[in-house]
Amino acid sequence: MNIVKPQTIAGVMELLPEDQIVFDKIKNTIEKTFLSYQFLPIDTPAIEKNDILFAKGGGETEKQIFAIDSSKKDMSLRFDLTVPLARYVAEHFSELNFPFKRYQIAKVYRGERNQKGRYKEFYQCDIDIIGNNSLSIHNDALIPKVIYDIFQKLNFDGITFHINNRKLLNGFFESLDIEEKEEVLRTIDKKAKIGDEKTKELLDEIVGSEKSEEILKLINTDKGNEATLSYLENLDLNENYKKGLKELKEVYKYMLKFGIDDKSILIDLSITRGLDYYTSTVYETFLDGYESIGSVCSGGRYENLAENFSKQALPGVGLSIGLTRLFYQFQELGLIEKYRENFTDSLIIPMDESLNFYAIDIANKLKDEGFKIDIYLEDGKFKKKMNYADKINVKKVIIIGQEEYEKKLVSIKNMENGEQVSVDINKISEYLK
Amino acid sequence: MNIVKPQTIAGVMELLPEDQIVFDKIKNTIEKTFLSYQFLPIDTPAIEKNDILFAKGGGETEKQIFAIDSSKKDMSLRFDLTVPLARYVAEHFSELNFPFKRYQIAKVYRGERNQKGRYKEFYQCDIDIIGNNSLSIHNDALIPKVIYDIFQKLNFDGITFHINNRKLLNGFFESLDIEEKEEVLRTIDKKAKIGDEKTKELLDEIVGSEKSEEILKLINTDKGNEATLSYLENLDLNENYKKGLKELKEVYKYMLKFGIDDKSILIDLSITRGLDYYTSTVYETFLDGYESIGSVCSGGRYENLAENFSKQALPGVGLSIGLTRLFYQFQELGLIEKYRENFTDSLIIPMDESLNFYAIDIANKLKDEGFKIDIYLEDGKFKKKMNYADKINVKKVIIIGQEEYEKKLVSIKNMENGEQVSVDINKISEYLK
C-alpha cells in the first residue's frame, strides 16, 4: 500500500479535540448570545456564483478567491458573509420581515499568503440588522451591546468600543475644503499603527500643514466622552457634520441605555474603517490589556446592503468577530486555559468482559442522572485501562471487579489524590458530585 | 448601477429563517446527543489536498469533486467526512487517545446532477469510534444506541436498525464456492428496490439457479431475531461464517443491553452496504411508517480507517446521518411542522421615540428573566408596528404609550384572542407566562 503523508493544506487551523472543545465553547457562547437578542440564523452555501461574489468589482478580493475549477468558471468559495447576506436579502426580500436581524457563523475562504495567524479558512461570526428603506440609528447601539454581553460571558471585564461617525468626518473635511477625503481617511486609519508624527507627515503631503493640523486636533480628542461631545458640539460646522454628530450622540446615549458601561465606550475620531462601504457609525473593539492583538470585532453602518442585487434601499448595521484569528490570539496569550473543563467526569472500567452488562447498567443510570460518563469496553490489562483514564483526564474512575459485582458495589478511585473507596451501587452519584 | 440577479448556485439547500430555526434545532439535537455519549468534536478544513482525497483512487467520487482552480490543481472540497477523519487520525495519531470517539457535523460537497432532493452541498453528521490495532465489537452496539436516542428525542417512536455482518455473508458465499462475491453483494443490496423476483433472476445469471436459491433462502430470513439467529446457528458453516455470526449475536445482545428495544432491531441478511469498505457489522436505519424515504442513517465496521495514510492498523465503526437530505424529506412529508416553536415570545412596542428608554428598561428586565423578548425601535405608525408583530408571529405585544409610562404600566395585547390588559410594570412577567 502506497502511504500518502497525512497533512492538511497549508494555512488552515485544525485543532486537537481538547482545543476543539474550547473553540466550540466560545463559538456556542457567541451563538447563544446572538440568539438571546432574537437574531435569526441563516446558513448560506459556501459556494456562490462569481457574478454574485464580484458584483461590486473584483479588486483585492478577486486575487484571493478560491475559484471552483469547472468548465464554466462561474463559481467560487465565499470570501466573507456580507456578500452572501446581500444576495440572500435581495433574493428572499418578499419573504423576510424588516428590520431583519440575522446572524451567521460560518467559514469563509481567502487565499492568504502563508503567515502566522493568517488563515485560508476562517470562521466569521456576523450580526447585522437590515432595514427596508430606513433603519433607526438606535440599532447602532444595540449591536455593540450584543458583543459586550459575549465578552462578559467569556470573562473579559474590560472591553472598549471605539466609535466614530463617517458623516461627521466627511462634514469636517468638507468644512476645510478637503477634496482628498478618501486618502485622508486611509491615512487616519493607519494612525494607531504608524503613530502621530508619521500621520502628520503624510497628511501634510496630502492637504498641507495647516489643514493637517486641524485634522489632528480633531482626531486626537481624548478628553473623555462627554468632553469630546461638547468639543464637537462647539465646532458647529456644516449639515453633514451636524447630522453625523447627532447620530454619534444618539448611538452613545443608547449604548449606555442598553447597559454598556461608560468606561467601555470611547468616542474616537481616529477610527475610520475601510473606505467606501461604511457611511455613518463605525466601530472597532479592543480587549483591555490586550490592545496589541488589534480590534477583535469591527463593523459599522452602511447605506445600502444590496445595491448590486436589488433596487430596494436596504440600509444596515453590523459587527463581525473573526473567530479563528481570535482563537489563535487567545492561544498565543494563554487565554484558552481558563475555558477548559472536564469533557468526561468519570470513566467506568469493568475488569473483564463478563462484567460489561453490570457496567452498562451503571453507566446508563449515571448518564440519565446527567453525569458526563463513559465506559471502557476494550479488552486488555488493568494497567492499560487505567492508563486510558489517566490520559483522558477524568476525575474519577469507577472500577468494577467480580467481587464488587457480587456485593453490588463499585470501587471509585479519585484520580486527583489516588484514594479509592467501595461504594454501594445506589450511592455512586453522591460520590461523583 | 448594474443589477445582478440574486440567486444561489443550482442544487443547494438554502432556507428561510423560520425553517433554518427548525433545521438548527434538529442539528443541535444530533450534536447534543453525540456529546452526551462523550464523542469528541473535530472540525477539519473543507479543502483538502487531492492526494489525500484520492489516496484510495478516484473512481466515481473524482467525477463529482469540486476542485479548486489553482495553478497547481492540488486541492479540492471534501466529498465526505471519512477521508478527512482518516487523514486527521493518521496525522495526529500520537496525540489522540484510543479508542478515539469523535463526531463531526459539517458540510460536504459533490457535483451531483441537479435533481430533486439531491444537493451539491449537504450536511453529514458522523460518529465513529476508532481503535488502535483492535476495537471491541461492543462498540458496534453503542453506535446505533446513540442514533436511537437522537430519533427518540426527535419524537420518532418507531425506528428500525437493519443489521447484518459481512463476514457471515462472505463465509456463506465461500461455503457455496461462490467466487463472484462482490457482484452477489451488489445484487443483494438492490433487493429492496428491485424485488425478490428480479433479484433471483440476476443471481441466477451470476451463480446459477441452485446457488441463488440458497442465497435467497438465507437473506429472506424474516422469522424474528431469535429465530433468525438459531436458523443461522444451525447452518454451522466455515470459520469466516462462524466468526461473523458470533459478532452479529454479540452486537444484537449488546444493542438490547444498551437499551434499544427489540422491536427496533431487525437482523436482516439482505443488508450489504457498499462494496469494499465495510468488513463486519453493517447497518441501515429506517423510520417506521416512512420506509419509503430509505435509510436515514447507515454505516458499519471497517478493518482499517487510514491504510492510505498510516501503517498503523486502525479498525473502526461508524454511522452517518445525511442531514440535508433528511430535512428535505421531512419537509416533503410535512414533518418539520412539529418542531416549530416561537422564536420571539413577546414584542415591546413604544408608541414614540420618547418612550424608548422606558421600553428598553422593560426589555432588559424581561430578557434577564429568560423571556424571548424583542423591542421594535423603528419610527412609524402604530399600524405598521403591529403589522410587524403580526408577521413575526409573537404571542403577546407589550404596548407602551405616554399614559402607560406616566402610570408605570404597560398594555399587553394577546395576539391570539385580541384581548388587551393594563399591567403594572412589576407584574409583566406573570402575564407573559
Side-chain angles (χ1 to χ4, degrees), chain B residues 180-246:
Chain B
E180 307 84 350
K181 278 190 267 184
E182 295 237 329
E183 249 182 291
V184 172
L185 282 174
R186 219 173 322 168
T187 308
I188 296 175
D189 203 32
K190 288 187 210 145
K191 189 177 82 97
K193 270 190 204 153
I194 62 176
D196 277 22
E197 212 164 314
K198 183 77 188 153
T199 309
K200 176 78 171 70
E201 239 170 72
L202 291 172
L203 287 176
D204 283 355
E205 280 171 37
I206 305 166
V207 296
S209 157
E210 205 172 313
K211 290 179 184 176
S212 89
E213 210 133 303
E214 291 291 320
I215 295 171
L216 277 170
K217 216 161 81 188
L218 181 87
I219 66 175
N220 277 338
T221 44
D222 54 354
K223 319 164 176 62
N225 294 326
E226 286 299 344
T228 301
L229 286 176
S230 35
Y231 173 85
L232 294 172
E233 202 80 55
N234 286 331
L235 287 185
D236 191 27
L237 304 175
N238 52 35
E239 273 317 295
N240 221 359
Y241 175 88
K242 280 185 193 158
K243 225 166 145 185
L245 178 57
K246 194 179 166 213

Coordinates of all heavy atoms in Angstrom, one line a residue, chain B residues 180-246:
Chain B
E180 N -17.9 -14.9 -7.2 CA -18.3 -13.6 -7.6 C -19.0 -12.8 -6.4 O -20.1 -12.3 -6.5 CB -19.4 -13.7 -8.8 CG -18.9 -14.5 -10.0 CD -19.1 -16.0 -9.8 OE1 -19.5 -16.4 -8.7 OE2 -19.0 -16.7 -10.8
K181 N -18.2 -12.8 -5.3 CA -18.8 -12.3 -4.1 C -19.3 -10.8 -4.2 O -20.4 -10.5 -3.8 CB -17.8 -12.4 -2.9 CG -17.7 -13.7 -2.3 CD -16.9 -13.7 -1.0 CE -15.5 -14.1 -1.4 NZ -14.6 -14.2 -0.2
E182 N -18.4 -10.0 -4.8 CA -18.8 -8.6 -4.9 C -20.0 -8.4 -5.8 O -20.9 -7.6 -5.4 CB -17.6 -7.8 -5.6 CG -16.3 -7.8 -4.8 CD -15.9 -6.4 -4.5 OE1 -16.1 -5.5 -5.3 OE2 -15.3 -6.2 -3.4
E183 N -20.1 -9.1 -6.9 CA -21.3 -9.0 -7.7 C -22.5 -9.4 -7.0 O -23.6 -8.8 -7.1 CB -21.1 -9.9 -9.0 CG -20.9 -9.1 -10.3 CD -20.7 -10.0 -11.4 OE1 -19.7 -10.7 -11.5 OE2 -21.7 -10.1 -12.2
V184 N -22.4 -10.5 -6.2 CA -23.6 -11.0 -5.5 C -24.0 -10.0 -4.4 O -25.2 -9.7 -4.3 CB -23.2 -12.4 -4.8 CG1 -24.3 -12.8 -3.9 CG2 -23.0 -13.4 -5.9
L185 N -23.0 -9.4 -3.7 CA -23.3 -8.4 -2.7 C -24.1 -7.2 -3.3 O -25.1 -6.8 -2.8 CB -22.0 -7.9 -2.1 CG -21.4 -8.8 -1.0 CD1 -20.0 -8.2 -0.6 CD2 -22.3 -8.9 0.2
R186 N -23.6 -6.8 -4.5 CA -24.1 -5.7 -5.1 C -25.6 -6.0 -5.6 O -26.5 -5.1 -5.5 CB -23.3 -5.3 -6.4 CG -23.2 -3.8 -6.6 CD -22.2 -3.6 -7.8 NE -21.1 -4.5 -7.7 CZ -20.2 -4.7 -8.7 NH1 -20.3 -3.9 -9.8 NH2 -19.2 -5.5 -8.6
T187 N -25.8 -7.2 -6.0 CA -27.2 -7.6 -6.4 C -28.1 -7.6 -5.2 O -29.2 -7.1 -5.2 CB -27.1 -8.9 -7.1 OG1 -26.2 -8.9 -8.1 CG2 -28.5 -9.3 -7.7
I188 N -27.6 -8.3 -4.1 CA -28.5 -8.3 -2.9 C -28.8 -7.0 -2.4 O -29.9 -6.7 -1.9 CB -27.7 -9.1 -1.8 CG1 -27.5 -10.6 -2.2 CG2 -28.4 -9.1 -0.5 CD1 -26.6 -11.4 -1.2
D189 N -27.8 -6.0 -2.5 CA -28.0 -4.7 -2.0 C -29.2 -4.0 -2.7 O -29.9 -3.1 -2.1 CB -26.7 -3.9 -2.2 CG -26.6 -2.7 -1.3 OD1 -27.1 -2.8 -0.2 OD2 -26.1 -1.6 -1.7
K190 N -29.5 -4.5 -3.9 CA -30.6 -3.8 -4.7 C -32.0 -4.4 -4.4 O -33.0 -4.0 -4.8 CB -30.3 -4.0 -6.2 CG -29.2 -3.1 -6.7 CD -29.1 -3.3 -8.2 CE -27.7 -3.1 -8.8 NZ -27.4 -4.0 -9.9
K191 N -32.0 -5.5 -3.6 CA -33.2 -6.3 -3.4 C -34.4 -5.5 -3.0 O -35.5 -5.6 -3.6 CB -33.0 -7.5 -2.4 CG -34.2 -8.4 -2.4 CD -33.9 -9.6 -1.5 CE -34.2 -9.3 -0.1 NZ -35.5 -9.7 0.4
A192 N -34.2 -4.6 -2.0 CA -35.3 -3.8 -1.5 C -35.9 -2.9 -2.6 O -37.1 -2.7 -2.7 CB -34.9 -2.9 -0.4
K193 N -35.1 -2.5 -3.6 CA -35.5 -1.7 -4.7 C -36.2 -2.5 -5.8 O -37.2 -2.2 -6.3 CB -34.4 -0.9 -5.3 CG -34.2 0.5 -4.6 CD -33.2 1.3 -5.4 CE -32.5 2.3 -4.5 NZ -31.2 2.7 -5.0
I194 N -35.5 -3.6 -6.2 CA -36.0 -4.3 -7.4 C -36.9 -5.5 -7.1 O -37.5 -6.0 -8.1 CB -34.7 -4.8 -8.3 CG1 -33.9 -5.8 -7.5 CG2 -33.9 -3.6 -8.7 CD1 -32.7 -6.4 -8.3
G195 N -37.0 -5.9 -5.9 CA -37.9 -7.0 -5.5 C -37.2 -8.4 -5.6 O -36.2 -8.5 -6.2
D196 N -37.9 -9.4 -5.0 CA -37.4 -10.7 -4.9 C -37.1 -11.4 -6.3 O -36.1 -12.0 -6.5 CB -38.3 -11.6 -4.1 CG -38.1 -11.4 -2.6 OD1 -37.6 -10.3 -2.3 OD2 -38.4 -12.3 -1.8
E197 N -38.2 -11.2 -7.1 CA -38.1 -11.9 -8.4 C -36.9 -11.5 -9.3 O -36.2 -12.3 -9.8 CB -39.4 -11.7 -9.2 CG -39.9 -12.8 -10.0 CD -41.4 -12.6 -10.4 OE1 -42.2 -12.3 -9.5 OE2 -41.7 -12.8 -11.6
K198 N -36.8 -10.2 -9.4 CA -35.7 -9.6 -10.2 C -34.4 -10.0 -9.6 O -33.4 -10.3 -10.3 CB -35.9 -8.1 -10.3 CG -34.9 -7.4 -11.2 CD -35.2 -7.5 -12.6 CE -34.1 -6.9 -13.5 NZ -34.0 -7.5 -14.8
T199 N -34.3 -10.0 -8.3 CA -33.1 -10.4 -7.6 C -32.7 -11.8 -7.9 O -31.5 -12.1 -8.3 CB -33.2 -10.2 -6.1 OG1 -33.7 -8.9 -5.8 CG2 -31.9 -10.4 -5.3
K200 N -33.7 -12.7 -7.9 CA -33.4 -14.1 -8.2 C -32.9 -14.2 -9.6 O -31.9 -14.9 -9.9 CB -34.7 -14.8 -8.0 CG -34.7 -16.3 -8.4 CD -34.0 -17.2 -7.4 CE -34.2 -18.7 -7.6 NZ -33.4 -19.2 -8.7
E201 N -33.6 -13.5 -10.5 CA -33.2 -13.5 -11.9 C -31.7 -13.1 -12.1 O -30.9 -13.8 -12.8 CB -34.0 -12.5 -12.7 CG -34.8 -13.0 -13.9 CD -35.8 -11.9 -14.4 OE1 -35.2 -11.0 -15.0 OE2 -37.0 -12.0 -14.1
L202 N -31.3 -12.0 -11.5 CA -29.9 -11.6 -11.6 C -29.0 -12.5 -11.0 O -27.9 -12.8 -11.5 CB -29.8 -10.2 -10.9 CG -30.5 -9.0 -11.6 CD1 -30.5 -7.7 -10.8 CD2 -29.9 -8.7 -13.0
L203 N -29.3 -13.1 -9.8 CA -28.5 -14.0 -9.1 C -28.3 -15.3 -9.9 O -27.2 -15.9 -10.0 CB -29.0 -14.3 -7.7 CG -28.8 -13.2 -6.6 CD1 -29.5 -13.6 -5.3 CD2 -27.4 -12.9 -6.4
D204 N -29.4 -15.7 -10.5 CA -29.3 -16.9 -11.4 C -28.2 -16.7 -12.4 O -27.4 -17.6 -12.7 CB -30.7 -17.1 -12.1 CG -31.7 -17.7 -11.2 OD1 -31.4 -18.0 -10.1 OD2 -32.9 -17.8 -11.6
E205 N -28.2 -15.5 -13.0 CA -27.2 -15.3 -14.1 C -25.8 -15.3 -13.5 O -24.9 -15.8 -14.2 CB -27.4 -13.9 -14.7 CG -28.6 -13.8 -15.7 CD -28.9 -12.4 -16.1 OE1 -28.0 -11.6 -16.2 OE2 -30.1 -12.1 -16.3
I206 N -25.6 -14.9 -12.3 CA -24.3 -14.8 -11.8 C -23.8 -16.2 -11.2 O -22.7 -16.6 -11.5 CB -24.2 -13.8 -10.6 CG1 -24.7 -12.4 -11.1 CG2 -22.7 -13.6 -10.1 CD1 -24.9 -11.4 -10.0
V207 N -24.6 -16.8 -10.4 CA -24.2 -18.0 -9.8 C -24.9 -19.3 -10.1 O -24.6 -20.4 -9.6 CB -24.2 -17.9 -8.2 CG1 -23.2 -16.8 -7.8 CG2 -25.6 -17.5 -7.7
G208 N -25.9 -19.2 -11.0 CA -26.7 -20.3 -11.3 C -27.9 -20.5 -10.4 O -27.9 -20.0 -9.2
S209 N -28.9 -21.2 -10.8 CA -30.2 -21.2 -10.1 C -30.1 -21.9 -8.8 O -30.8 -21.4 -7.8 CB -31.2 -21.9 -11.1 OG -32.2 -22.5 -10.3
E210 N -29.3 -22.9 -8.7 CA -29.2 -23.7 -7.4 C -28.7 -22.8 -6.3 O -29.3 -22.7 -5.2 CB -28.4 -24.9 -7.6 CG -28.7 -26.0 -6.7 CD -27.9 -27.3 -7.1 OE1 -27.9 -27.6 -8.3 OE2 -27.2 -27.9 -6.2
K211 N -27.5 -22.2 -6.5 CA -26.9 -21.4 -5.5 C -27.7 -20.1 -5.2 O -27.8 -19.7 -4.1 CB -25.5 -21.0 -6.0 CG -24.5 -22.1 -6.0 CD -23.1 -21.7 -6.4 CE -22.2 -22.9 -6.5 NZ -20.9 -22.6 -7.0
S212 N -28.3 -19.6 -6.2 CA -29.1 -18.3 -6.0 C -30.3 -18.7 -5.1 O -30.7 -17.8 -4.3 CB -29.5 -17.7 -7.3 OG -30.8 -18.2 -7.8
E213 N -30.8 -19.9 -5.2 CA -31.9 -20.3 -4.3 C -31.4 -20.3 -2.8 O -32.1 -19.8 -1.9 CB -32.4 -21.6 -4.7 CG -33.9 -21.8 -4.4 CD -34.6 -22.5 -5.6 OE1 -34.5 -21.8 -6.7 OE2 -35.2 -23.5 -5.4
E214 N -30.2 -20.9 -2.7 CA -29.6 -20.9 -1.3 C -29.5 -19.5 -0.7 O -29.7 -19.3 0.4 CB -28.3 -21.6 -1.4 CG -28.3 -23.1 -1.7 CD -29.0 -23.9 -0.5 OE1 -28.6 -23.6 0.6 OE2 -29.8 -24.8 -0.8
I215 N -28.9 -18.6 -1.6 CA -28.7 -17.2 -1.2 C -30.0 -16.6 -0.7 O -30.1 -16.0 0.3 CB -28.0 -16.4 -2.3 CG1 -26.6 -16.9 -2.6 CG2 -28.0 -14.9 -1.9 CD1 -26.0 -16.3 -3.8
L216 N -31.0 -16.7 -1.6 CA -32.3 -16.1 -1.3 C -32.9 -16.7 0.0 O -33.6 -16.0 0.8 CB -33.3 -16.2 -2.5 CG -33.1 -15.2 -3.5 CD1 -33.9 -15.5 -4.8 CD2 -33.4 -13.8 -3.0
K217 N -32.7 -18.0 0.2 CA -33.2 -18.6 1.4 C -32.6 -17.9 2.6 O -33.2 -17.6 3.6 CB -32.9 -20.1 1.4 CG -34.0 -20.9 2.1 CD -34.0 -22.4 1.6 CE -32.9 -23.2 2.4 NZ -32.7 -24.5 1.9
L218 N -31.3 -17.7 2.5 CA -30.6 -17.1 3.6 C -31.1 -15.6 3.9 O -31.4 -15.3 5.0 CB -29.1 -17.0 3.4 CG -28.3 -16.4 4.5 CD1 -27.9 -17.4 5.6 CD2 -27.0 -15.7 4.0
I219 N -31.1 -14.8 2.8 CA -31.3 -13.4 3.0 C -32.8 -13.1 3.2 O -33.1 -12.0 3.7 CB -30.8 -12.5 1.8 CG1 -31.5 -12.8 0.5 CG2 -29.3 -12.7 1.7 CD1 -31.1 -11.9 -0.6
N220 N -33.7 -14.0 3.0 CA -35.1 -13.8 3.3 C -35.5 -14.3 4.7 O -36.7 -14.5 4.9 CB -35.9 -14.4 2.2 CG -36.0 -13.5 1.0 OD1 -35.8 -12.3 1.1 ND2 -36.3 -14.1 -0.2
T221 N -34.6 -14.5 5.6 CA -35.0 -14.9 6.9 C -35.6 -13.8 7.7 O -34.9 -13.0 8.2 CB -33.7 -15.4 7.7 OG1 -32.7 -14.5 7.5 CG2 -33.3 -16.8 7.3
D222 N -36.9 -13.8 7.7 CA -37.6 -12.7 8.5 C -38.5 -13.4 9.5 O -39.7 -13.0 9.7 CB -38.3 -11.7 7.6 CG -39.3 -12.4 6.7 OD1 -39.3 -13.7 6.6 OD2 -40.1 -11.7 6.0
K223 N -37.9 -14.3 10.3 CA -38.7 -15.0 11.3 C -38.7 -14.3 12.6 O -39.2 -14.9 13.6 CB -38.0 -16.4 11.4 CG -37.6 -17.1 10.1 CD -36.7 -18.2 10.4 CE -36.3 -19.0 9.1 NZ -35.5 -18.1 8.2
G224 N -38.0 -13.2 12.8 CA -37.8 -12.6 14.1 C -36.4 -12.9 14.5 O -35.8 -13.9 14.0
N225 N -35.8 -12.0 15.3 CA -34.4 -12.1 15.6 C -33.9 -13.4 16.2 O -32.9 -14.0 15.7 CB -34.0 -10.9 16.4 CG -34.2 -9.5 15.7 OD1 -34.0 -9.5 14.5 ND2 -34.6 -8.5 16.5
E226 N -34.6 -13.8 17.2 CA -34.1 -15.0 17.9 C -34.2 -16.2 16.9 O -33.3 -17.0 16.9 CB -34.9 -15.3 19.2 CG -34.6 -14.4 20.3 CD -33.2 -14.5 20.8 OE1 -32.5 -15.5 20.5 OE2 -32.7 -13.6 21.5
A227 N -35.3 -16.3 16.2 CA -35.4 -17.4 15.2 C -34.4 -17.4 14.1 O -33.8 -18.4 13.7 CB -36.8 -17.4 14.7
T228 N -34.1 -16.2 13.7 CA -33.1 -16.0 12.6 C -31.8 -16.5 13.1 O -31.0 -17.2 12.5 CB -33.0 -14.5 12.2 OG1 -34.3 -14.1 11.7 CG2 -31.9 -14.3 11.1
L229 N -31.5 -16.0 14.4 CA -30.2 -16.4 15.0 C -30.0 -18.0 15.1 O -29.0 -18.5 14.8 CB -29.9 -15.7 16.3 CG -29.6 -14.2 16.2 CD1 -29.5 -13.6 17.6 CD2 -28.3 -14.0 15.4
S230 N -31.1 -18.6 15.5 CA -31.0 -20.1 15.7 C -30.9 -20.8 14.3 O -30.2 -21.7 14.1 CB -32.0 -20.7 16.6 OG -33.2 -20.1 16.5
Y231 N -31.6 -20.2 13.3 CA -31.5 -20.7 12.0 C -30.1 -20.6 11.5 O -29.5 -21.6 11.0 CB -32.4 -19.9 11.0 CG -32.3 -20.2 9.6 CD1 -33.0 -21.3 9.0 CD2 -31.4 -19.5 8.8 CE1 -32.8 -21.6 7.7 CE2 -31.3 -19.7 7.4 CZ -32.0 -20.8 6.9 OH -31.8 -21.1 5.5
L232 N -29.5 -19.4 11.7 CA -28.1 -19.2 11.3 C -27.1 -20.2 12.1 O -26.2 -20.7 11.5 CB -27.7 -17.8 11.5 CG -28.4 -16.7 10.7 CD1 -28.1 -15.3 11.1 CD2 -28.1 -16.9 9.2
E233 N -27.4 -20.3 13.4 CA -26.6 -21.2 14.2 C -26.6 -22.6 13.6 O -25.6 -23.3 13.6 CB -27.3 -21.2 15.6 CG -26.4 -21.7 16.7 CD -25.5 -20.5 17.2 OE1 -26.0 -19.4 17.5 OE2 -24.3 -20.7 17.2
N234 N -27.8 -23.1 13.2 CA -27.9 -24.4 12.7 C -27.1 -24.7 11.4 O -26.8 -25.8 11.1 CB -29.4 -24.8 12.5 CG -30.1 -25.0 13.8 OD1 -29.4 -25.5 14.8 ND2 -31.4 -24.8 13.9
L235 N -26.9 -23.6 10.6 CA -26.2 -23.8 9.4 C -24.7 -24.3 9.6 O -24.2 -25.1 8.8 CB -26.1 -22.5 8.6 CG -27.5 -22.1 7.9 CD1 -27.3 -20.9 7.1 CD2 -28.0 -23.2 7.1
D236 N -24.1 -23.9 10.7 CA -22.8 -24.4 11.1 C -21.8 -24.6 9.9 O -21.4 -25.7 9.6 CB -23.0 -25.8 11.7 CG -21.8 -26.3 12.4 OD1 -21.0 -25.4 12.8 OD2 -21.6 -27.5 12.5
L237 N -21.4 -23.4 9.3 CA -20.5 -23.5 8.1 C -19.1 -23.2 8.5 O -18.7 -23.6 9.6 CB -21.0 -22.4 7.1 CG -22.5 -22.6 6.7 CD1 -22.9 -21.5 5.8 CD2 -22.7 -24.0 6.0
N238 N -18.3 -22.5 7.6 CA -16.9 -22.4 7.8 C -16.5 -21.3 8.9 O -17.4 -20.7 9.5 CB -16.3 -22.0 6.5 CG -17.0 -20.8 5.9 OD1 -17.5 -19.9 6.6 ND2 -17.2 -20.8 4.6
E239 N -15.2 -21.1 9.1 CA -14.8 -20.2 10.2 C -15.2 -18.8 10.0 O -15.6 -18.1 11.0 CB -13.2 -20.3 10.2 CG -12.7 -21.4 11.1 CD -13.4 -21.5 12.4 OE1 -13.3 -20.6 13.3 OE2 -14.0 -22.6 12.7
N240 N -15.1 -18.3 8.8 CA -15.5 -16.9 8.5 C -17.0 -16.7 8.8 O -17.3 -15.7 9.5 CB -15.2 -16.7 7.0 CG -14.7 -15.3 6.8 OD1 -14.4 -14.5 7.7 ND2 -14.4 -15.0 5.5
Y241 N -17.8 -17.6 8.4 CA -19.2 -17.6 8.7 C -19.4 -17.6 10.2 O -20.2 -16.7 10.8 CB -19.9 -18.8 8.1 CG -21.4 -18.9 8.4 CD1 -22.3 -18.3 7.6 CD2 -21.8 -19.6 9.5 CE1 -23.7 -18.3 8.0 CE2 -23.1 -19.7 9.9 CZ -24.1 -19.1 9.1 OH -25.4 -19.2 9.4
K242 N -18.8 -18.5 10.9 CA -19.0 -18.6 12.4 C -18.5 -17.3 13.1 O -19.1 -16.9 14.1 CB -18.2 -19.8 12.9 CG -18.9 -21.1 12.7 CD -18.2 -22.2 13.4 CE -18.7 -23.5 12.9 NZ -17.7 -24.6 13.1
K243 N -17.4 -16.8 12.6 CA -16.9 -15.5 13.2 C -17.9 -14.4 13.1 O -18.2 -13.7 14.0 CB -15.6 -15.1 12.5 CG -14.5 -14.7 13.4 CD -13.1 -14.7 12.7 CE -12.2 -13.6 13.1 NZ -11.0 -13.5 12.3
G244 N -18.4 -14.3 11.8 CA -19.4 -13.3 11.6 C -20.7 -13.4 12.4 O -21.2 -12.5 12.9
L245 N -21.1 -14.7 12.5 CA -22.3 -15.0 13.3 C -22.1 -14.6 14.8 O -23.0 -14.0 15.4 CB -22.7 -16.4 13.2 CG -23.9 -16.9 14.0 CD1 -25.2 -16.1 13.6 CD2 -24.2 -18.4 13.7
K246 N -20.9 -14.9 15.3 CA -20.6 -14.6 16.7 C -20.7 -13.1 16.9 O -21.2 -12.6 17.9 CB -19.2 -15.2 17.0 CG -19.0 -15.2 18.5 CD -17.6 -15.8 18.9 CE -17.3 -15.4 20.3 NZ -15.9 -15.2 20.6

